[in-house]
Amino acid sequence: MWVDPAFRGRGFGQALLGAMVAEARRRGVSRIWVASYDFQAPELYERAGFKRVAELRDWPEGHTNVILCKTLAND
């Protein structure tokens, strides 16, 4: 998921993520996994109930690849 910088901070990312979670739930998905780099938006996912389950430091060099998961059955 990506939002053009000109449109960030207006709730579009939150709306897209909400639609993705709703569609996953409609399809019977029980767990969603996402990856986000530290310079992207891991906090967006955390605000939506995703939990950090792994951090791969220096991947890419100088940054962290954050793996997050949301369990829908407990939501």
Side-chain angles (χ1 to χ4, degrees):
M1 182 175 75
W2 184 82
V3 175
D4 187 278
F7 296 97
R8 292 180 187 165
R10 298 185 192 179
F12 292 117
Q14 207 170 26
L16 285 167
L17 184 55
M20 180 190 76
V21 170
E23 179 64 15
R25 194 175 268 123
R26 186 186 74 75
R27 292 179 182 218
V29 171
S30 60
R31 193 169 287 135
I32 301 171
W33 296 85
V34 298
S36 181
Y37 293 107
D38 58 349
F39 57 85
Q40 291 178 320
E43 296 83 9
L44 170 76
Y45 297 102
E46 289 173 320
R47 285 193 302 270
F50 286 74
K51 305 291 182 209
R52 287 182 189 225
V53 295
E55 291 186 356
L56 307 167
R57 297 188 195 288
D58 283 327
W59 190 41
E61 188 174 327
H63 295 285
T64 301
N65 188 340
V66 181
I67 310 300
L68 304 103
C69 180
K70 180 176 178 98
T71 301
L72 301 181
N74 296 333
D75 193 31

